[in-house]
């Protein structure tokens, strides 16, 4: 059975996409730790990041850098944190979170009640930053 992320990538479930290419996508999580929390996900369904081929790993990190720079513009912050946890969905994904303190990466702070309008606005800000304005 396809993972939740594969279903989002295939547009079977709605997603707030900010970036996509032939090998990966980036979309907002529905339970952000902080506004702008974005996931970079390979199109190929690979459960554990240790099993991702080196060329795809490099591609994911290049995409994450591009999206991360846009997040930093859209949500001014000291850094954009990156974490690979992978426990909640069996499909490799990189978490990009605007951070000003290490506590900003605490998954206990996820907010599954974030209003859809706030998620839509965050996605629009990141897309605008990616487009250069």
């Amino acid at each position: 059975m396809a993972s939740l992320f594969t279903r989002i990538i295939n547009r079977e479930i709605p997603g707030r996409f900010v970036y996509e290419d032939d090998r990966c996508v980036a979309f907002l999580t529905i339970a952000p730790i902080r506004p702008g929390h974005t996931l970079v996900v390979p199109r190929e369904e690979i459960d554990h990041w240790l099993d991702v081929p080196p060329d795809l790993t490099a591609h994911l990190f290049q995409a994450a850098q591009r999206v991360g720079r846009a997040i930093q513009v859209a949500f001014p912050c000291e850094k954009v944190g990156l974490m690979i946890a992978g426990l909640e969905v069996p499909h490799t994904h990189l978490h990009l979170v605007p951070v000003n303190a290490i506590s900003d990466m605490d998954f206990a702070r996820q907010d599954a009640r974030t209003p859809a309008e706030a998620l839509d606005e965050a996605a629009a800000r990141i897309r605008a930053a990616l487009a250069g304005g």
Side-chain angles (χ1 to χ4, degrees), residues 58-81:
H59 185 82
L60 290 173
F61 275 80
Q62 289 167 354
Q65 284 180 319
R66 183 172 179 196
V67 173
R69 286 185 187 99
I71 290 170
Q72 197 162 31
V73 168
F75 296 91
C77 55
E78 189 171 331
K79 302 224 176 180
V80 175

Side-chain angles (χ1 to χ4, degrees), residues 14-16 28-32 111-124 127:
R16 289 173 177 86
L28 268 65
T29 176
I30 60 169
D111 186 1
R113 296 167 297 153
T114 302
E117 299 79 23
L119 295 172
D120 291 340
E121 193 261 337
R127 283 193 296 269

